[in-house]
Amino acid sequence: MRLSEQSQHIAVEKGQLLFVHSSVADRFFIIFNGWIKLFRETLDGAQAVIDVLTTGHFFGEASIFQEGVYPYSAEAAESSELLSLPLSLLKTEIETNPKLAMAMLSSIAQQGSKQNRELEHRTLQNAPQRIGCFILRLADQQQSGPTAVHLPYDKNLVAARLGMQAETFSRALSKLKQETGININGATIEMNDISQLRDYSCSACSSEFPCKDLTEKSRYSS
Amino acid sequence: MRLSEQSQHIAVEKGQLLFVHSSVADRFFIIFNGWIKLFRETLDGAQAVIDVLTTGHFFGEASIFQEGVYPYSAEAAESSELLSLPLSLLKTEIETNPKLAMAMLSSIAQQGSKQNRELEHRTLQNAPQRIGCFILRLADQQQSGPTAVHLPYDKNLVAARLGMQAETFSRALSKLKQETGININGATIEMNDISQLRDYSCSACSSEFPCKDLTEKSRYSS
């Protein structure tokens, strides 16, 4: 395997930068464990979080189609372990290995689908509904009865991931509590039944509940 | 060419539906001319516009990676001419033709990059800046001095494309006029120099002006 020979296993601490937006891209990454934040910044430091990814996801790979520069910055949101691979090899492999090409296409298409959903929700859901949706996607959607969900990374990053200012997030969370009876205990969210959240959030979504895209593999992907 | 043998040339009127979200996908489309709106709807009819595409763009192709259903609805926003092709053939072609696979990857990656930018702008730009950005992307960005830009489709759709309610759009447009001195005459926007718009809108964007992704080919793509 040419790819695996040139792979590097790396460990990064929370806050460590992997690459910055517009820098020359030579490697892409696969996440073994942890959380990686993809983001972009304006000159005056305002930050937009594009995505927060975890185990099994890869990032930086789209650079090979974009003049060889990274289309976002990447930073460890928690301590993480990654596999780093050269982009040049990826390109050769895709050109000569149709199965890999299809797998890449499939992965990139799923990313696109996720962003479609994100854009839809920014348009149709209000802030409390967006938080409700985020929590529902972390929960076991098949379960009934009392359940608890743990936020996978800190609240400020959840807010940023949902495109909200900290104050907006805080107000929206209070409203969500009031509307659905959920209980928030640090990073843990408890509820009597996910149906309360579902009724509240999913009414402003074009997809049916349970969310079809949530397989075991991609479970914590958004 | 197996693909071209099974292609169909079709003409659609404004408002005509091509396919609906979640229906079984058997064909994808390439736009010859006109404008196609991609959108999703909740059960109670609220609509989120995912994209509005024109000449040279294709859509529906990502269905082959998504359990064979369309991830959005598609409707003609203006009278349009399209080429329709079977998805089954596309899949076979990709698996046996690495060049086509790379072209598809490249196209899907560019779509992803566009959606990244969109999400960034929804987070960092206010409503008048988003409209300013939309206008700037229609203008000849190399030009200086007095210039005019024509909105490619009606204002309600521009509003929806930017994720705004009609009233928000209207208020934001007034504010943009006031801040940048542009003049609006029906569907035509006149300005003394695009630098006024640029200074106003691009300060809340992570990319440099002129927009690198705007080649002749993709010029009117967003």
Side-chain angles (χ1 to χ4, degrees), chain A residues 26-92:
Chain A
D26 51 1
R27 302 185 79 84
F28 72 106
F29 301 83
I30 303 170
I31 309 174
F32 275 167
N33 60 60
W35 289 91
I36 302 294
K37 174 175 83 167
L38 309 182
F39 65 101
R40 298 209 264 182
E41 269 175 340
T42 61
L43 280 179
D44 57 9
Q47 191 178 95
V49 173
I50 302 295
D51 212 338
V52 184
L53 301 173
T54 190
T55 310
H57 286 260
F58 43 107
F59 59 94
E61 83 289 355
S63 321
I64 54 175
F65 313 110
Q66 287 166 11
E67 301 180 13
V69 298
Y70 290 114
Y72 40 67
S73 302
E75 181 186 294
E78 301 293 340
S79 300
S80 306
E81 285 180 278
L82 310 155
L83 194 68
S84 147
L85 294 153
L87 278 167
S88 55
L89 269 185
L90 180 66
K91 198 162 182 173
T92 315

Side-chain angles (χ1 to χ4, degrees), chain A residues 95 98 115-117 122-123, chain B residues 40 95 98 115-116 122-123:
Chain A
E95 281 167 350
Q115 288 184 312
N116 275 347
R117 187 180 62 240
R122 297 267 177 119
T123 307
Chain B
R40 298 208 265 182
E95 282 168 347
Q115 289 185 312
N116 275 347
R122 297 266 177 120
T123 308

Side-chain angles (χ1 to χ4, degrees), chain A residues 3-159:
Chain A
L3 271 176
S4 61
E5 276 168 25
Q6 297 192 45
S7 67
Q8 286 172 2
H9 181 268
I10 52 175
V12 284
E13 293 305 308
K14 180 173 177 171
Q16 199 172 327
L17 263 176
L18 285 152
F19 53 77
V20 293
H21 182 199
S22 295
S23 61
V24 174
D26 51 1
R27 302 185 79 84
F28 72 106
F29 301 83
I30 303 170
I31 309 174
F32 275 167
N33 60 60
W35 289 91
I36 302 294
K37 174 175 83 167
L38 309 182
F39 65 101
R40 298 209 264 182
E41 269 175 340
T42 61
L43 280 179
D44 57 9
Q47 191 178 95
V49 173
I50 302 295
D51 212 338
V52 184
L53 301 173
T54 190
T55 310
H57 286 260
F58 43 107
F59 59 94
E61 83 289 355
S63 321
I64 54 175
F65 313 110
Q66 287 166 11
E67 301 180 13
V69 298
Y70 290 114
Y72 40 67
S73 302
E75 181 186 294
E78 301 293 340
S79 300
S80 306
E81 285 180 278
L82 310 155
L83 194 68
S84 147
L85 294 153
L87 278 167
S88 55
L89 269 185
L90 180 66
K91 198 162 182 173
T92 315
E93 284 284 321
I94 291 171
E95 281 167 350
T96 54
N97 181 348
K99 286 230 166 76
L100 183 68
M102 277 304 280
M104 284 281 294
L105 270 166
S106 178
S107 163
I108 293 182
Q110 271 166 31
Q111 277 287 109
S113 153
K114 190 170 151 185
Q115 288 184 312
N116 275 347
R117 187 180 62 240
E118 191 67 29
L119 277 174
E120 178 201 312
H121 287 179
R122 297 267 177 119
T123 307
L124 300 181
Q125 292 185 331
N126 60 31
Q129 286 171 326
R130 288 224 299 284
I131 301 176
C133 174
F134 183 83
I135 296 169
L136 277 172
R137 292 179 63 82
L138 291 170
D140 177 353
Q141 300 194 340
Q142 307 297 338
Q143 198 181 317
S144 61
T147 188
V149 165
H150 303 276
L151 294 181
Y153 38 81
D154 74 51
K155 277 186 192 169
N156 288 336
L157 183 55
V158 175

Side-chain angles (χ1 to χ4, degrees), chain A residues 127 131 156 159 164-174:
Chain A
I131 301 176
N156 288 336
M164 297 177 203
Q165 300 293 328
E167 312 95 74
T168 311
F169 181 78
S170 177
R171 273 198 308 273
L173 196 57
S174 299

